[in-house]
Every structure is written in C-alpha cells, then in structure tokens.
Amino acid sequence: MGLFGNAHSIDPAEAQQEYKRLLGHGEQVHAAHLLIRDTILFTDRRLILVDKQGITGKKTEYHSIPYRSITHFSVETAGHFDLDAELKIWVSGTAAPIEKTFTKGVDIYEVQAILTQFVAK
C-alpha cells in the first residue's frame, strides 16, 4: 500500500479548503503532506490518504484510517546518504504497514508528534 515518491509539507488551511468535501462537520486538518500526486491529511479525527490513480489522475481513492485503528507506528530519520525519512503505520487487521517516504525538508519529528497526539488518546 506504499505510495511512491517523496512528500513535502503543504499548508493545512489550503488542504482544509481543497478537501472540505471529505471532512466531517467541525473536522480540522492539522497537517498535510503532498506526494507527487497523492496527499496525506492528518485531521483531528483520522488519517486520510488521497491516492490519485491512472495516467490522468482523475480516478481517486480516499482511504480513511481512524486513529483508534492504528496499533503502532515508526519513523526513520534521514541520514547522510539516505536523504529521505520514512513513516510506517500498522493498522489493526493488517500484517503489512502502510509506508510513506518524506523528503529531508519535512520534519519527521513533527509527523511523529502529530500521530502521537491523536493515536495515544
């Protein structure tokens, strides 16, 4: 289920506006990251994976993961030669983690802190 490419941060307010049709009443986007064509949204209620499909990207899958379904996660920081940070999220009922790759410009500690804030509730 891994998405290819590297993520970078986007303004949560822009993501809130762009994806408002996906959000429940009062749901707020706290962080958002854009891959080449896909988006990862961290809201106050769930993690939303937006997967653009096909050559044109017109077909889109929206994968919603309530934070209570996340059993554990790990982050791997960027190194000297490996410039990308990685996030792995395990969801109850699945053996393989969801894997995301972030460019060195993304603060992986911030991503980890957001997940901790919502998963540890």
mmCIF file of all heavy atoms in Angstrom, residues 42-95:
data_model
loop_
_atom_site.group_PDB
_atom_site.id
_atom_site.type_symbol
_atom_site.label_atom_id
_atom_site.label_comp_id
_atom_site.label_asym_id
_atom_site.label_seq_id
_atom_site.Cartn_x
_atom_site.Cartn_y
_atom_site.Cartn_z
ATOM 1 N N PHE A 42 -3.638 14.759 8.001
ATOM 2 C CA PHE A 42 -3.766 14.430 9.412
ATOM 3 C C PHE A 42 -4.840 15.359 9.971
ATOM 4 O O PHE A 42 -4.607 16.558 10.120
ATOM 5 C CB PHE A 42 -2.448 14.665 10.150
ATOM 6 C CG PHE A 42 -1.332 13.763 9.711
ATOM 7 C CD1 PHE A 42 -0.501 14.123 8.664
ATOM 8 C CD2 PHE A 42 -1.108 12.557 10.360
ATOM 9 C CE1 PHE A 42 0.543 13.303 8.267
ATOM 10 C CE2 PHE A 42 -0.070 11.723 9.969
ATOM 11 C CZ PHE A 42 0.752 12.099 8.914
ATOM 12 N N THR A 43 -6.022 14.814 10.246
ATOM 13 C CA THR A 43 -7.082 15.631 10.819
ATOM 14 C C THR A 43 -7.151 15.350 12.320
ATOM 15 O O THR A 43 -6.428 14.495 12.834
ATOM 16 C CB THR A 43 -8.465 15.335 10.178
ATOM 17 O OG1 THR A 43 -9.007 14.137 10.721
ATOM 18 C CG2 THR A 43 -8.376 15.277 8.663
ATOM 19 N N ASP A 44 -8.044 16.036 12.997
ATOM 20 C CA ASP A 44 -8.209 15.791 14.422
ATOM 21 C C ASP A 44 -8.956 14.491 14.699
ATOM 22 O O ASP A 44 -9.041 14.062 15.843
ATOM 23 C CB ASP A 44 -8.904 16.970 15.104
ATOM 24 C CG ASP A 44 -10.236 17.319 14.471
ATOM 25 O OD1 ASP A 44 -10.541 16.847 13.364
ATOM 26 O OD2 ASP A 44 -10.987 18.100 15.096
ATOM 27 N N ARG A 45 -9.463 13.806 13.658
ATOM 28 C CA ARG A 45 -10.232 12.575 13.834
ATOM 29 C C ARG A 45 -9.637 11.345 13.169
ATOM 30 O O ARG A 45 -9.892 10.225 13.588
ATOM 31 C CB ARG A 45 -11.642 12.766 13.283
ATOM 32 C CG ARG A 45 -12.388 13.869 13.966
ATOM 33 C CD ARG A 45 -13.761 14.031 13.396
ATOM 34 N NE ARG A 45 -14.366 15.243 13.952
ATOM 35 C CZ ARG A 45 -15.476 15.771 13.509
ATOM 36 N NH1 ARG A 45 -16.129 15.201 12.506
ATOM 37 N NH2 ARG A 45 -15.944 16.862 14.050
ATOM 38 N N ARG A 46 -8.867 11.566 12.092
ATOM 39 C CA ARG A 46 -8.394 10.419 11.307
ATOM 40 C C ARG A 46 -7.244 10.816 10.402
ATOM 41 O O ARG A 46 -6.933 11.996 10.229
ATOM 42 C CB ARG A 46 -9.536 9.858 10.467
ATOM 43 C CG ARG A 46 -10.110 10.891 9.504
ATOM 44 C CD ARG A 46 -11.463 10.487 8.973
ATOM 45 N NE ARG A 46 -12.112 11.630 8.368
ATOM 46 C CZ ARG A 46 -12.662 11.630 7.172
ATOM 47 N NH1 ARG A 46 -12.640 10.534 6.441
ATOM 48 N NH2 ARG A 46 -13.254 12.694 6.699
ATOM 49 N N LEU A 47 -6.659 9.804 9.814
ATOM 50 C CA LEU A 47 -5.625 9.955 8.796
ATOM 51 C C LEU A 47 -6.312 9.679 7.462
ATOM 52 O O LEU A 47 -7.016 8.677 7.326
ATOM 53 C CB LEU A 47 -4.514 8.942 9.058
ATOM 54 C CG LEU A 47 -3.342 8.901 8.104
ATOM 55 C CD1 LEU A 47 -2.546 10.189 8.189
ATOM 56 C CD2 LEU A 47 -2.446 7.724 8.453
ATOM 57 N N ILE A 48 -6.154 10.565 6.505
ATOM 58 C CA ILE A 48 -6.771 10.383 5.185
ATOM 59 C C ILE A 48 -5.659 10.295 4.151
ATOM 60 O O ILE A 48 -4.817 11.181 4.052
ATOM 61 C CB ILE A 48 -7.725 11.539 4.830
ATOM 62 C CG1 ILE A 48 -8.820 11.695 5.887
ATOM 63 C CG2 ILE A 48 -8.331 11.311 3.441
ATOM 64 C CD1 ILE A 48 -9.685 12.938 5.698
ATOM 65 N N LEU A 49 -5.673 9.207 3.373
ATOM 66 C CA LEU A 49 -4.721 9.008 2.288
ATOM 67 C C LEU A 49 -5.470 9.228 0.977
ATOM 68 O O LEU A 49 -6.449 8.542 0.700
ATOM 69 C CB LEU A 49 -4.143 7.595 2.336
ATOM 70 C CG LEU A 49 -3.560 7.167 3.688
ATOM 71 C CD1 LEU A 49 -3.132 5.711 3.624
ATOM 72 C CD2 LEU A 49 -2.407 8.057 4.080
ATOM 73 N N VAL A 50 -5.025 10.190 0.200
ATOM 74 C CA VAL A 50 -5.657 10.509 -1.074
ATOM 75 C C VAL A 50 -4.742 9.961 -2.159
ATOM 76 O O VAL A 50 -3.615 10.422 -2.325
ATOM 77 C CB VAL A 50 -5.850 12.037 -1.237
ATOM 78 C CG1 VAL A 50 -6.534 12.347 -2.561
ATOM 79 C CG2 VAL A 50 -6.635 12.604 -0.058
ATOM 80 N N ASP A 51 -5.237 8.962 -2.886
ATOM 81 C CA ASP A 51 -4.439 8.249 -3.885
ATOM 82 C C ASP A 51 -4.990 8.528 -5.274
ATOM 83 O O ASP A 51 -6.045 8.017 -5.653
ATOM 84 C CB ASP A 51 -4.484 6.748 -3.570
ATOM 85 C CG ASP A 51 -3.663 5.903 -4.523
ATOM 86 O OD1 ASP A 51 -2.861 6.455 -5.301
ATOM 87 O OD2 ASP A 51 -3.831 4.665 -4.490
ATOM 88 N N LYS A 52 -4.277 9.363 -6.039
ATOM 89 C CA LYS A 52 -4.659 9.640 -7.428
ATOM 90 C C LYS A 52 -4.231 8.447 -8.281
ATOM 91 O O LYS A 52 -3.098 7.996 -8.177
ATOM 92 C CB LYS A 52 -3.973 10.904 -7.938
ATOM 93 C CG LYS A 52 -4.278 12.139 -7.149
ATOM 94 C CD LYS A 52 -5.538 12.766 -7.621
ATOM 95 C CE LYS A 52 -5.750 14.063 -6.839
ATOM 96 N NZ LYS A 52 -6.810 14.841 -7.351
ATOM 97 N N GLN A 53 -5.130 7.955 -9.111
ATOM 98 C CA GLN A 53 -4.861 6.752 -9.883
ATOM 99 C C GLN A 53 -4.944 7.023 -11.372
ATOM 100 O O GLN A 53 -5.560 7.987 -11.812
ATOM 101 C CB GLN A 53 -5.863 5.653 -9.490
ATOM 102 C CG GLN A 53 -5.789 5.306 -8.017
ATOM 103 C CD GLN A 53 -6.863 4.320 -7.603
ATOM 104 O OE1 GLN A 53 -7.715 3.923 -8.383
ATOM 105 N NE2 GLN A 53 -6.817 3.918 -6.353
ATOM 106 N N GLY A 54 -4.334 6.130 -12.130
ATOM 107 C CA GLY A 54 -4.378 6.225 -13.581
ATOM 108 C C GLY A 54 -3.436 7.277 -14.137
ATOM 109 O O GLY A 54 -2.802 8.029 -13.408
ATOM 110 N N ILE A 55 -3.384 7.326 -15.437
ATOM 111 C CA ILE A 55 -2.486 8.251 -16.123
ATOM 112 C C ILE A 55 -2.898 9.698 -15.884
ATOM 113 O O ILE A 55 -2.063 10.555 -15.643
ATOM 114 C CB ILE A 55 -2.437 7.933 -17.635
ATOM 115 C CG1 ILE A 55 -1.814 6.557 -17.852
ATOM 116 C CG2 ILE A 55 -1.665 9.002 -18.389
ATOM 117 C CD1 ILE A 55 -1.889 6.058 -19.269
ATOM 118 N N THR A 56 -4.188 9.970 -15.933
ATOM 119 C CA THR A 56 -4.653 11.346 -15.788
ATOM 120 C C THR A 56 -4.830 11.762 -14.331
ATOM 121 O O THR A 56 -4.889 12.949 -14.035
ATOM 122 C CB THR A 56 -6.009 11.542 -16.502
ATOM 123 O OG1 THR A 56 -6.983 10.702 -15.862
ATOM 124 C CG2 THR A 56 -5.905 11.211 -17.972
ATOM 125 N N GLY A 57 -4.952 10.797 -13.427
ATOM 126 C CA GLY A 57 -5.170 11.119 -12.026
ATOM 127 C C GLY A 57 -6.588 11.531 -11.707
ATOM 128 O O GLY A 57 -6.879 12.020 -10.625
ATOM 129 N N LYS A 58 -7.515 11.331 -12.662
ATOM 130 C CA LYS A 58 -8.908 11.709 -12.420
ATOM 131 C C LYS A 58 -9.591 10.743 -11.460
ATOM 132 O O LYS A 58 -10.451 11.139 -10.699
ATOM 133 C CB LYS A 58 -9.680 11.796 -13.731
ATOM 134 C CG LYS A 58 -9.291 13.015 -14.530
ATOM 135 C CD LYS A 58 -10.253 13.249 -15.652
ATOM 136 C CE LYS A 58 -9.834 14.517 -16.357
ATOM 137 N NZ LYS A 58 -10.930 15.238 -16.903
ATOM 138 N N LYS A 59 -9.197 9.473 -11.506
ATOM 139 C CA LYS A 59 -9.747 8.493 -10.578
ATOM 140 C C LYS A 59 -8.970 8.625 -9.264
ATOM 141 O O LYS A 59 -7.755 8.614 -9.245
ATOM 142 C CB LYS A 59 -9.604 7.079 -11.140
ATOM 143 C CG LYS A 59 -10.209 6.027 -10.264
ATOM 144 C CD LYS A 59 -10.128 4.666 -10.916
ATOM 145 C CE LYS A 59 -10.744 3.630 -10.008
ATOM 146 N NZ LYS A 59 -10.686 2.296 -10.607
ATOM 147 N N THR A 60 -9.717 8.754 -8.167
ATOM 148 C CA THR A 60 -9.082 8.992 -6.881
ATOM 149 C C THR A 60 -9.678 8.071 -5.822
ATOM 150 O O THR A 60 -10.894 7.925 -5.742
ATOM 151 C CB THR A 60 -9.290 10.458 -6.436
ATOM 152 O OG1 THR A 60 -8.823 11.321 -7.474
ATOM 153 C CG2 THR A 60 -8.544 10.757 -5.163
ATOM 154 N N GLU A 61 -8.792 7.479 -5.014
ATOM 155 C CA GLU A 61 -9.223 6.675 -3.865
ATOM 156 C C GLU A 61 -8.944 7.491 -2.605
ATOM 157 O O GLU A 61 -7.867 8.054 -2.448
ATOM 158 C CB GLU A 61 -8.461 5.356 -3.788
ATOM 159 C CG GLU A 61 -8.824 4.540 -2.560
ATOM 160 C CD GLU A 61 -7.997 3.270 -2.410
ATOM 161 O OE1 GLU A 61 -6.904 3.191 -2.993
ATOM 162 O OE2 GLU A 61 -8.460 2.383 -1.693
ATOM 163 N N TYR A 62 -9.932 7.538 -1.718
ATOM 164 C CA TYR A 62 -9.794 8.211 -0.435
ATOM 165 C C TYR A 62 -9.822 7.139 0.650
ATOM 166 O O TYR A 62 -10.839 6.496 0.860
ATOM 167 C CB TYR A 62 -10.932 9.216 -0.223
ATOM 168 C CG TYR A 62 -10.994 10.269 -1.303
ATOM 169 C CD1 TYR A 62 -11.877 10.150 -2.374
ATOM 170 C CD2 TYR A 62 -10.156 11.373 -1.260
ATOM 171 C CE1 TYR A 62 -11.926 11.109 -3.369
ATOM 172 C CE2 TYR A 62 -10.199 12.338 -2.256
ATOM 173 C CZ TYR A 62 -11.094 12.202 -3.303
ATOM 174 O OH TYR A 62 -11.135 13.152 -4.287
ATOM 175 N N HIS A 63 -8.706 6.945 1.311
ATOM 176 C CA HIS A 63 -8.582 5.908 2.332
ATOM 177 C C HIS A 63 -8.574 6.593 3.691
ATOM 178 O O HIS A 63 -7.660 7.352 4.007
ATOM 179 C CB HIS A 63 -7.287 5.132 2.103
ATOM 180 C CG HIS A 63 -7.143 3.916 2.946
ATOM 181 N ND1 HIS A 63 -6.312 2.892 2.616
ATOM 182 C CD2 HIS A 63 -7.704 3.556 4.111
ATOM 183 C CE1 HIS A 63 -6.371 1.962 3.543
ATOM 184 N NE2 HIS A 63 -7.205 2.356 4.458
ATOM 185 N N SER A 64 -9.570 6.317 4.491
ATOM 186 C CA SER A 64 -9.729 6.938 5.797
ATOM 187 C C SER A 64 -9.355 5.940 6.892
ATOM 188 O O SER A 64 -9.899 4.836 6.937
ATOM 189 C CB SER A 64 -11.183 7.383 5.967
ATOM 190 O OG SER A 64 -11.376 7.971 7.219
ATOM 191 N N ILE A 65 -8.427 6.340 7.756
ATOM 192 C CA ILE A 65 -7.980 5.463 8.838
ATOM 193 C C ILE A 65 -8.225 6.175 10.162
ATOM 194 O O ILE A 65 -7.519 7.138 10.492
ATOM 195 C CB ILE A 65 -6.482 5.123 8.701
ATOM 196 C CG1 ILE A 65 -6.204 4.486 7.348
ATOM 197 C CG2 ILE A 65 -6.029 4.228 9.848
ATOM 198 C CD1 ILE A 65 -4.734 4.359 7.021
ATOM 199 N N PRO A 66 -9.225 5.733 10.932
ATOM 200 C CA PRO A 66 -9.416 6.329 12.259
ATOM 201 C C PRO A 66 -8.166 6.080 13.108
ATOM 202 O O PRO A 66 -7.564 5.007 13.039
ATOM 203 C CB PRO A 66 -10.621 5.577 12.826
ATOM 204 C CG PRO A 66 -11.287 4.954 11.637
ATOM 205 C CD PRO A 66 -10.206 4.706 10.637
ATOM 206 N N TYR A 67 -7.764 7.068 13.880
ATOM 207 C CA TYR A 67 -6.556 6.919 14.689
ATOM 208 C C TYR A 67 -6.645 5.728 15.641
ATOM 209 O O TYR A 67 -5.641 5.093 15.925
ATOM 210 C CB TYR A 67 -6.276 8.205 15.471
ATOM 211 C CG TYR A 67 -5.876 9.359 14.587
ATOM 212 C CD1 TYR A 67 -6.634 10.511 14.527
ATOM 213 C CD2 TYR A 67 -4.725 9.293 13.800
ATOM 214 C CE1 TYR A 67 -6.261 11.576 13.716
ATOM 215 C CE2 TYR A 67 -4.348 10.341 12.974
ATOM 216 C CZ TYR A 67 -5.122 11.484 12.949
ATOM 217 O OH TYR A 67 -4.754 12.520 12.143
ATOM 218 N N ARG A 68 -7.853 5.390 16.111
ATOM 219 C CA ARG A 68 -8.002 4.259 17.034
ATOM 220 C C ARG A 68 -7.637 2.921 16.368
ATOM 221 O O ARG A 68 -7.383 1.945 17.057
ATOM 222 C CB ARG A 68 -9.409 4.220 17.610
ATOM 223 C CG ARG A 68 -10.488 3.874 16.598
ATOM 224 C CD ARG A 68 -11.887 3.840 17.213
ATOM 225 N NE ARG A 68 -12.879 3.578 16.212
ATOM 226 C CZ ARG A 68 -13.437 4.476 15.430
ATOM 227 N NH1 ARG A 68 -13.107 5.743 15.560
ATOM 228 N NH2 ARG A 68 -14.333 4.147 14.532
ATOM 229 N N SER A 69 -7.602 2.884 15.027
ATOM 230 C CA SER A 69 -7.239 1.666 14.294
ATOM 231 C C SER A 69 -5.739 1.496 14.135
ATOM 232 O O SER A 69 -5.275 0.437 13.728
ATOM 233 C CB SER A 69 -7.884 1.666 12.911
ATOM 234 O OG SER A 69 -9.278 1.675 13.015
ATOM 235 N N ILE A 70 -4.987 2.528 14.440
ATOM 236 C CA ILE A 70 -3.527 2.455 14.315
ATOM 237 C C ILE A 70 -2.979 1.776 15.560
ATOM 238 O O ILE A 70 -3.145 2.274 16.676
ATOM 239 C CB ILE A 70 -2.910 3.854 14.129
ATOM 240 C CG1 ILE A 70 -3.437 4.475 12.817
ATOM 241 C CG2 ILE A 70 -1.385 3.784 14.137
ATOM 242 C CD1 ILE A 70 -3.020 5.913 12.598
ATOM 243 N N THR A 71 -2.343 0.608 15.360
ATOM 244 C CA THR A 71 -1.828 -0.138 16.504
ATOM 245 C C THR A 71 -0.456 0.353 16.929
ATOM 246 O O THR A 71 -0.149 0.378 18.116
ATOM 247 C CB THR A 71 -1.765 -1.646 16.202
ATOM 248 O OG1 THR A 71 -0.910 -1.872 15.068
ATOM 249 C CG2 THR A 71 -3.152 -2.203 15.935
ATOM 250 N N HIS A 72 0.380 0.712 15.976
ATOM 251 C CA HIS A 72 1.680 1.315 16.270
ATOM 252 C C HIS A 72 2.257 1.910 14.999
ATOM 253 O O HIS A 72 1.756 1.679 13.903
ATOM 254 C CB HIS A 72 2.646 0.323 16.930
ATOM 255 C CG HIS A 72 3.029 -0.857 16.096
ATOM 256 N ND1 HIS A 72 2.194 -1.922 15.842
ATOM 257 C CD2 HIS A 72 4.188 -1.153 15.472
ATOM 258 C CE1 HIS A 72 2.810 -2.812 15.100
ATOM 259 N NE2 HIS A 72 4.028 -2.366 14.854
ATOM 260 N N PHE A 73 3.312 2.698 15.170
ATOM 261 C CA PHE A 73 3.955 3.330 14.021
ATOM 262 C C PHE A 73 5.421 3.536 14.333
ATOM 263 O O PHE A 73 5.845 3.487 15.492
ATOM 264 C CB PHE A 73 3.277 4.644 13.643
ATOM 265 C CG PHE A 73 3.252 5.677 14.736
ATOM 266 C CD1 PHE A 73 4.292 6.584 14.878
ATOM 267 C CD2 PHE A 73 2.193 5.734 15.627
ATOM 268 C CE1 PHE A 73 4.274 7.522 15.881
ATOM 269 C CE2 PHE A 73 2.167 6.679 16.634
ATOM 270 C CZ PHE A 73 3.216 7.578 16.765
ATOM 271 N N SER A 74 6.203 3.741 13.283
ATOM 272 C CA SER A 74 7.629 4.024 13.456
ATOM 273 C C SER A 74 8.046 5.101 12.478
ATOM 274 O O SER A 74 7.441 5.263 11.416
ATOM 275 C CB SER A 74 8.471 2.759 13.242
ATOM 276 O OG SER A 74 8.455 2.368 11.889
ATOM 277 N N VAL A 75 9.079 5.842 12.865
ATOM 278 C CA VAL A 75 9.681 6.826 11.973
ATOM 279 C C VAL A 75 11.166 6.516 11.874
ATOM 280 O O VAL A 75 11.783 6.025 12.821
ATOM 281 C CB VAL A 75 9.471 8.280 12.446
ATOM 282 C CG1 VAL A 75 8.013 8.660 12.405
ATOM 283 C CG2 VAL A 75 10.053 8.520 13.816
ATOM 284 N N GLU A 76 11.699 6.757 10.708
ATOM 285 C CA GLU A 76 13.138 6.601 10.479
ATOM 286 C C GLU A 76 13.627 7.919 9.908
ATOM 287 O O GLU A 76 13.127 8.378 8.885
ATOM 288 C CB GLU A 76 13.385 5.461 9.495
ATOM 289 C CG GLU A 76 14.846 5.208 9.206
ATOM 290 C CD GLU A 76 15.020 4.039 8.242
ATOM 291 O OE1 GLU A 76 14.519 2.944 8.541
ATOM 292 O OE2 GLU A 76 15.639 4.263 7.187
ATOM 293 N N THR A 77 14.569 8.523 10.583
ATOM 294 C CA THR A 77 15.066 9.827 10.153
ATOM 295 C C THR A 77 15.960 9.693 8.931
ATOM 296 O O THR A 77 16.473 8.614 8.636
ATOM 297 C CB THR A 77 15.845 10.513 11.285
ATOM 298 O OG1 THR A 77 16.962 9.692 11.633
ATOM 299 C CG2 THR A 77 14.962 10.730 12.501
ATOM 300 N N ALA A 78 16.127 10.801 8.241
ATOM 301 C CA ALA A 78 17.025 10.840 7.087
ATOM 302 C C ALA A 78 18.462 10.744 7.568
ATOM 303 O O ALA A 78 18.803 11.190 8.661
ATOM 304 C CB ALA A 78 16.811 12.133 6.303
ATOM 305 N N GLY A 79 19.317 10.151 6.747
ATOM 306 C CA GLY A 79 20.734 10.035 7.079
ATOM 307 C C GLY A 79 21.573 10.897 6.156
ATOM 308 O O GLY A 79 21.065 11.735 5.413
ATOM 309 N N HIS A 80 22.883 10.670 6.208
ATOM 310 C CA HIS A 80 23.788 11.443 5.353
ATOM 311 C C HIS A 80 23.659 11.051 3.888
ATOM 312 O O HIS A 80 23.661 11.892 3.010
ATOM 313 C CB HIS A 80 25.238 11.259 5.805
ATOM 314 C CG HIS A 80 25.507 11.903 7.121
ATOM 315 N ND1 HIS A 80 25.494 13.262 7.300
ATOM 316 C CD2 HIS A 80 25.778 11.359 8.337
ATOM 317 C CE1 HIS A 80 25.746 13.544 8.562
ATOM 318 N NE2 HIS A 80 25.929 12.408 9.212
ATOM 319 N N PHE A 81 23.534 9.754 3.631
ATOM 320 C CA PHE A 81 23.449 9.276 2.249
ATOM 321 C C PHE A 81 22.015 9.008 1.830
ATOM 322 O O PHE A 81 21.660 9.152 0.676
ATOM 323 C CB PHE A 81 24.312 8.024 2.072
ATOM 324 C CG PHE A 81 25.763 8.296 2.347
ATOM 325 C CD1 PHE A 81 26.368 7.816 3.490
ATOM 326 C CD2 PHE A 81 26.517 9.069 1.468
ATOM 327 C CE1 PHE A 81 27.697 8.078 3.752
ATOM 328 C CE2 PHE A 81 27.847 9.344 1.717
ATOM 329 C CZ PHE A 81 28.448 8.845 2.870
ATOM 330 N N ASP A 82 21.181 8.560 2.768
ATOM 331 C CA ASP A 82 19.761 8.354 2.516
ATOM 332 C C ASP A 82 19.052 9.629 2.950
ATOM 333 O O ASP A 82 18.873 9.875 4.138
ATOM 334 C CB ASP A 82 19.252 7.149 3.310
ATOM 335 C CG ASP A 82 17.775 6.888 3.090
ATOM 336 O OD1 ASP A 82 17.181 7.499 2.180
ATOM 337 O OD2 ASP A 82 17.199 6.062 3.835
ATOM 338 N N LEU A 83 18.668 10.468 2.010
ATOM 339 C CA LEU A 83 18.133 11.784 2.325
ATOM 340 C C LEU A 83 16.650 11.781 2.689
ATOM 341 O O LEU A 83 16.095 12.828 2.991
ATOM 342 C CB LEU A 83 18.373 12.730 1.141
ATOM 343 C CG LEU A 83 19.838 12.932 0.753
ATOM 344 C CD1 LEU A 83 19.937 13.854 -0.454
ATOM 345 C CD2 LEU A 83 20.645 13.465 1.918
ATOM 346 N N ASP A 84 16.010 10.628 2.649
ATOM 347 C CA ASP A 84 14.582 10.552 2.896
ATOM 348 C C ASP A 84 14.296 9.970 4.275
ATOM 349 O O ASP A 84 14.989 9.076 4.747
ATOM 350 C CB ASP A 84 13.902 9.681 1.846
ATOM 351 C CG ASP A 84 14.112 10.192 0.436
ATOM 352 O OD1 ASP A 84 14.175 11.422 0.271
ATOM 353 O OD2 ASP A 84 14.212 9.369 -0.486
ATOM 354 N N ALA A 85 13.248 10.493 4.906
ATOM 355 C CA ALA A 85 12.744 9.938 6.161
ATOM 356 C C ALA A 85 11.563 9.037 5.818
ATOM 357 O O ALA A 85 10.904 9.224 4.793
ATOM 358 C CB ALA A 85 12.314 11.060 7.096
ATOM 359 N N GLU A 86 11.301 8.063 6.685
ATOM 360 C CA GLU A 86 10.223 7.121 6.416
ATOM 361 C C GLU A 86 9.283 7.024 7.601
ATOM 362 O O GLU A 86 9.699 7.128 8.752
ATOM 363 C CB GLU A 86 10.803 5.742 6.096
ATOM 364 C CG GLU A 86 11.617 5.723 4.824
ATOM 365 C CD GLU A 86 12.205 4.353 4.522
ATOM 366 O OE1 GLU A 86 11.847 3.371 5.188
ATOM 367 O OE2 GLU A 86 13.040 4.278 3.612
ATOM 368 N N LEU A 87 8.021 6.819 7.282
ATOM 369 C CA LEU A 87 6.981 6.609 8.266
ATOM 370 C C LEU A 87 6.316 5.280 7.946
ATOM 371 O O LEU A 87 5.963 5.026 6.794
ATOM 372 C CB LEU A 87 5.948 7.742 8.203
ATOM 373 C CG LEU A 87 4.650 7.551 8.973
ATOM 374 C CD1 LEU A 87 4.908 7.539 10.476
ATOM 375 C CD2 LEU A 87 3.661 8.651 8.604
ATOM 376 N N LYS A 88 6.145 4.434 8.964
ATOM 377 C CA LYS A 88 5.421 3.174 8.806
ATOM 378 C C LYS A 88 4.291 3.165 9.820
ATOM 379 O O LYS A 88 4.507 3.485 10.993
ATOM 380 C CB LYS A 88 6.337 1.972 9.045
ATOM 381 C CG LYS A 88 7.408 1.822 7.995
ATOM 382 C CD LYS A 88 8.265 0.605 8.277
ATOM 383 C CE LYS A 88 9.404 0.503 7.270
ATOM 384 N NZ LYS A 88 10.285 -0.623 7.559
ATOM 385 N N ILE A 89 3.095 2.819 9.346
ATOM 386 C CA ILE A 89 1.910 2.791 10.192
ATOM 387 C C ILE A 89 1.268 1.413 10.078
ATOM 388 O O ILE A 89 0.957 0.953 8.982
ATOM 389 C CB ILE A 89 0.894 3.866 9.757
ATOM 390 C CG1 ILE A 89 1.518 5.248 9.838
ATOM 391 C CG2 ILE A 89 -0.369 3.790 10.599
ATOM 392 C CD1 ILE A 89 0.671 6.334 9.220
ATOM 393 N N TRP A 90 1.063 0.761 11.221
ATOM 394 C CA TRP A 90 0.384 -0.528 11.255
ATOM 395 C C TRP A 90 -1.054 -0.305 11.688
ATOM 396 O O TRP A 90 -1.324 0.365 12.681
ATOM 397 C CB TRP A 90 1.069 -1.473 12.230
ATOM 398 C CG TRP A 90 2.342 -2.050 11.715
ATOM 399 C CD1 TRP A 90 2.506 -3.253 11.094
ATOM 400 C CD2 TRP A 90 3.656 -1.463 11.770
ATOM 401 N NE1 TRP A 90 3.833 -3.440 10.764
ATOM 402 C CE2 TRP A 90 4.554 -2.361 11.166
ATOM 403 C CE3 TRP A 90 4.151 -0.259 12.270
ATOM 404 C CZ2 TRP A 90 5.912 -2.105 11.052
ATOM 405 C CZ3 TRP A 90 5.505 0.012 12.162
ATOM 406 C CH2 TRP A 90 6.367 -0.905 11.562
ATOM 407 N N VAL A 91 -1.978 -0.864 10.909
ATOM 408 C CA VAL A 91 -3.408 -0.737 11.162
ATOM 409 C C VAL A 91 -3.919 -2.100 11.614
ATOM 410 O O VAL A 91 -3.528 -3.129 11.053
ATOM 411 C CB VAL A 91 -4.150 -0.269 9.887
ATOM 412 C CG1 VAL A 91 -5.640 -0.189 10.117
ATOM 413 C CG2 VAL A 91 -3.600 1.072 9.418
ATOM 414 N N SER A 92 -4.789 -2.104 12.625
ATOM 415 C CA SER A 92 -5.305 -3.370 13.138
ATOM 416 C C SER A 92 -5.964 -4.159 12.007
ATOM 417 O O SER A 92 -6.630 -3.604 11.145
ATOM 418 C CB SER A 92 -6.303 -3.135 14.274
ATOM 419 O OG SER A 92 -7.406 -2.390 13.835
ATOM 420 N N GLY A 93 -5.714 -5.449 12.003
ATOM 421 C CA GLY A 93 -6.275 -6.333 10.992
ATOM 422 C C GLY A 93 -5.413 -6.490 9.751
ATOM 423 O O GLY A 93 -5.774 -7.233 8.844
ATOM 424 N N THR A 94 -4.283 -5.794 9.680
ATOM 425 C CA THR A 94 -3.383 -5.934 8.544
ATOM 426 C C THR A 94 -1.981 -6.247 9.048
ATOM 427 O O THR A 94 -1.546 -5.723 10.074
ATOM 428 C CB THR A 94 -3.328 -4.657 7.677
ATOM 429 O OG1 THR A 94 -2.846 -3.578 8.468
ATOM 430 C CG2 THR A 94 -4.683 -4.301 7.115
ATOM 431 N N ALA A 95 -1.283 -7.105 8.323
ATOM 432 C CA ALA A 95 0.063 -7.508 8.735
ATOM 433 C C ALA A 95 1.128 -6.520 8.264
ATOM 434 O O ALA A 95 2.061 -6.214 8.995
ATOM 435 C CB ALA A 95 0.374 -8.900 8.196
#
